[in-house]
Amino acid sequence: MGWVVSPNVVWVDSPDEIQLYDTTAGEFQTLNATAAAIWRQLVKTGDEDAVVAGLAEEFGAEDDNQRGLIADDTGRFIEQLAAQGLIRAEPSRPDPSAAGT
């Protein structure tokens, strides 16, 4: 399963933050620099594990403990985004190259 931005969300990326607007709820939200980094990785990959790996590299995680903290924080943030309807789960698509193997 991957994650995609809900179609009702419009967002603007600026250097230090991301501004989100939920057109259904009529609500604005501003993501700070850390949340914006997670959002950017999530939009780029759609995969939580890839987001964590990207953030660990971006922020220079040096050991498994630091990567674990990033994973925990990322998981909680993704859950919040999903609960607010800002992102939605997208079922994984089968890999067409794996067909017939």
Side-chain angles (χ1 to χ4, degrees), residues 7-8 10 27 31 34-36 42-43 46 48 57-58 60 63 66 77-78 82 84 87 96:
N8 56 301
V10 178
E27 295 179 357
L31 304 181
T34 303
L42 190 61
V43 168
E48 188 171 339
E57 183 177 327
E58 182 178 342
D63 57 34
Q66 290 176 349
F77 184 64
I78 288 173
Q84 293 174 8
I87 61 172

Side-chain angles (χ1 to χ4, degrees), residues 3-20:
W3 295 99
V4 295
V5 176
S6 295
N8 56 301
V9 174
V10 178
W11 57 285
V12 177
D13 193 345
S14 60
D16 296 327
E17 64 186 19
I18 290 181
Q19 297 172 342
L20 306 174

Side-chain angles (χ1 to χ4, degrees), residues 13-71:
D13 193 345
S14 60
D16 296 327
E17 64 186 19
I18 290 181
Q19 297 172 342
L20 306 174
Y21 177 64
D22 181 341
T23 59
T24 301
E27 295 179 357
F28 285 96
Q29 188 172 150
T30 300
L31 304 181
N32 66 23
T34 303
I38 297 171
W39 179 270
R40 287 182 193 104
Q41 290 285 335
L42 190 61
V43 168
K44 180 179 172 183
T45 69
D47 177 75
E48 188 171 339
D49 291 336
V51 170
V52 171
L55 292 170
E57 183 177 327
E58 182 178 342
F59 291 105
E62 297 178 3
D63 57 34
D64 288 341
N65 184 50
Q66 290 176 349
R67 284 185 282 281
L69 292 172
I70 290 171

